[in-house]
Amino acid sequence: MEVIDHLRRLFTYDAWANHETVASLERAAAAPQSAVRRMAHVVGAEVLWLARLEGRRPSLAVWPELAVEECEREANGLAAAWRRYFESLSEAALARRVAYVNSKGEPWESTAGDVLTHVALHSAYHRGQIASDLRAAGFEPAYTDFIHAVRQGFLERREES
C-alpha cells in the first residue's frame, strides 16, 4: 500500500470517527461543555490544517465556539473537503513543504505528509478526551477505535464507493 493510500484510509476513518463522536454528543441529554468545546476544536483544527495545505485562509478559528449541530455540519463538510483534497494529491506531493505560522506566531515548515499524519493523530487524541468527558458525566461515549471501524467493515465499504 502506498503512503497516500494509507493516509486516505486514515481520513476515511477520521470522518467516520468524527461522525460517531458528534452522534454521541447528540445522544447525551446535556453533553459536558468541555466535550462540545473539544469537538469544535477538532473541527476547527482540521479546517485550519486543510487551509494551510491548500494555501488559503481558514474559515474557522482553531478553537471556535460551535454548538453540537454546528460541529456536525462542519464535520460533514470536512469529510467531503478531505476527499476532494486527496483526489488531486500525488505520492510526490506528500514531500511538498508547507509554510505556516502556528498559534504562537512562530513560523514553521512541514511536509504535507507530516501535516496529514498530524491531523489524523490530533483528532484521535481529542476524541479520546471527549470520550473521557462523556463517561465522567455519566454518558456512553462513541467507540471510535480504528480497529472497530475495520472490524465493522466500514473502511472497506466506504473505499469501494
Side-chain angles (χ1 to χ4, degrees):
M1 176 185 292
E2 291 187 20
V3 173
I4 197 165
D5 292 332
H6 177 70
L7 288 168
R8 185 178 289 115
R9 193 166 190 239
L10 282 179
F11 275 78
T12 300
Y13 156 74
D14 180 71
W16 169 82
N18 283 344
H19 171 80
E20 294 294 303
T21 300
V22 168
S24 71
L25 291 170
E26 290 173 336
R27 283 191 302 273
Q33 189 54 40
S34 59
V36 176
R37 181 159 164 72
R38 284 186 173 116
M39 189 64 224
H41 173 61
V42 167
V43 169
E46 288 197 25
V47 165
L48 173 70
W49 282 111
L50 181 58
R52 287 174 174 170
L53 288 166
E54 294 180 333
R56 58 178 176 76
R57 295 183 59 84
S59 59
L60 287 177
V62 72
W63 283 95
E65 295 292 326
L66 300 175
V68 175
E69 300 77 26
E70 293 169 305
C71 289
E72 179 180 31
R73 184 181 67 245
E74 293 293 336
N76 289 339
L78 267 169
W82 283 119
R83 280 192 303 275
R84 284 190 302 275
Y85 176 79
F86 276 99
E87 284 173 7
S88 63
L89 191 64
S90 68
E91 195 75 25
L94 293 175
R96 179 180 63 89
R97 302 212 50 88
V98 179
Y100 58 93
V101 176
N102 71 8
S103 59
K104 295 178 183 178
E106 302 165 335
W108 290 96
E109 278 191 14
S110 301
T111 66
D114 286 344
V115 167
L116 292 166
T117 301
H118 168 73
V119 170
L121 296 174
H122 175 265
S123 295
Y125 170 77
H126 286 300
R127 286 190 299 265
Q129 290 179 315
I130 294 165
S132 292
D133 290 345
L134 285 170
R135 192 167 303 286
F139 299 107
E140 185 67 28
Y143 180 26
T144 59
D145 284 357
F146 177 83
I147 201 67
H148 181 62
V150 172
R151 288 174 183 157
Q152 287 187 321
F154 177 83
L155 297 178
E156 288 72 19
R157 285 195 306 271
R158 295 300 182 257
E159 290 171 348
E160 292 170 2
S161 57

